[in-house]
Amino acid sequence: MSEPKRSAMRVADSDRENVARLLYEAMGAGRITAGELETRLDAVYAAKTFAEFEPVVADLSPGGALALSHAVGEERGGRRSFAVMSATTRRFGGPLPSKHVSRAFWGSVRLDLRRARITGSCTIRAVAVMGAVKIVVPEDFALDVRGIGLMGGFGTGRRTGRRSPEAGAPVLRVTGFAWWGSVRVIRKPLEPRRRSLRGRG
């Protein structure tokens, strides 16, 4: 489909959220102010076509709103998770991807890795802008948490597990930053599955 025709296409709520995510990220990096963010968000949520996104993101995205629209599917894959003024919970089972990016903008993301496995290595980049990212890990993961908290917190939280990782344990690396928000990594034992009460007298 040609770009002029795509510009005239109607946008969906998911498209608006993807553009809003770019704006929150730009504010977190200091590229726009909080006042500019509010003004641009008003335009984003009032937009009906991709063409109306163009003046909002022209100075932030090299390809403009059209290029940004192609990235929506990537965010829904196993390597990314995000929340924009909402809450998202993802539970991983099986091998983790080598890299995962988690972003929370005025919202929260919770990643539960207690049933996951690390093959080789895994790095999670967590970004929280006026939001929260919480990563729950099993007791047998070794942790390497290195992030920056700007008027926020970034680090490990209260440990509830009793075991320490053994030598040679798989390593989970967590990097990123929190701006007026928090990124927390906590150990938590896997809750046993409840037995069915059916058939009991």
Side-chain angles (χ1 to χ4, degrees):
M1 183 178 296
S2 66
E3 288 194 0
K5 289 183 179 180
R6 180 175 288 274
S7 295
M9 285 182 59
R10 305 276 294 194
V11 297
D13 287 342
S14 60
D15 300 315
R16 295 185 184 92
E17 290 175 1
N18 206 41
V19 177
R21 174 180 56 80
L22 176 68
L23 296 177
Y24 284 120
E25 193 168 29
M27 186 190 67
R31 298 170 69 189
I32 61 176
T33 65
E36 290 174 312
L37 171 68
E38 184 176 357
T39 299
R40 295 190 190 207
L41 284 176
D42 287 342
V44 166
Y45 288 109
K48 293 181 173 59
T49 66
F50 280 104
E52 294 173 75
F53 285 158
E54 292 296 342
V56 179
V57 300
D59 57 347
L60 301 176
S61 177
L66 293 178
L68 186 62
S69 68
H70 292 298
V72 176
E74 296 178 5
E75 292 292 335
R76 294 172 181 167
R79 295 179 181 274
R80 297 178 186 269
S81 56
F82 71 96
V84 178
M85 292 186 288
S86 62
T88 298
T89 298
R90 297 196 62 177
R91 295 179 175 85
F92 290 81
L96 286 172
S98 59
K99 294 181 180 179
H100 183 89
V101 178
S102 181
R103 299 185 178 97
F105 303 96
W106 286 10
S108 65
V109 175
R110 184 178 189 271
L111 304 180
D112 190 337
L113 311 183
R114 288 177 292 172
R115 295 186 183 275
R117 302 193 312 273
I118 293 178
T119 302
S121 64
C122 177
T123 298
I124 295 178
R125 177 170 173 78
V127 176
V129 176
M130 291 184 284
V133 176
K134 182 178 181 180
I135 305 171
V136 182
V137 301
E139 296 174 308
D140 58 349
F141 278 13
L143 297 177
D144 181 8
V145 180
R146 302 181 185 183
I148 299 173
L150 303 173
M151 294 182 286
F154 196 113
T156 55
R158 182 171 61 90
R159 179 179 173 180
T160 56
R162 296 182 178 179
R163 293 189 303 158
S164 297
E166 299 177 357
V171 179
L172 175 70
R173 295 179 176 85
V174 181
T175 65
F177 69 90
W179 186 77
W180 279 31
S182 68
V183 174
R184 286 287 179 265
V185 184
I186 67 169
R187 297 185 190 278
K188 193 172 182 181
L190 186 63
E191 298 173 357
R193 298 182 184 275
R194 295 182 178 180
R195 296 181 179 179
S196 174
L197 297 179
R198 293 179 181 178
R200 293 187 179 182

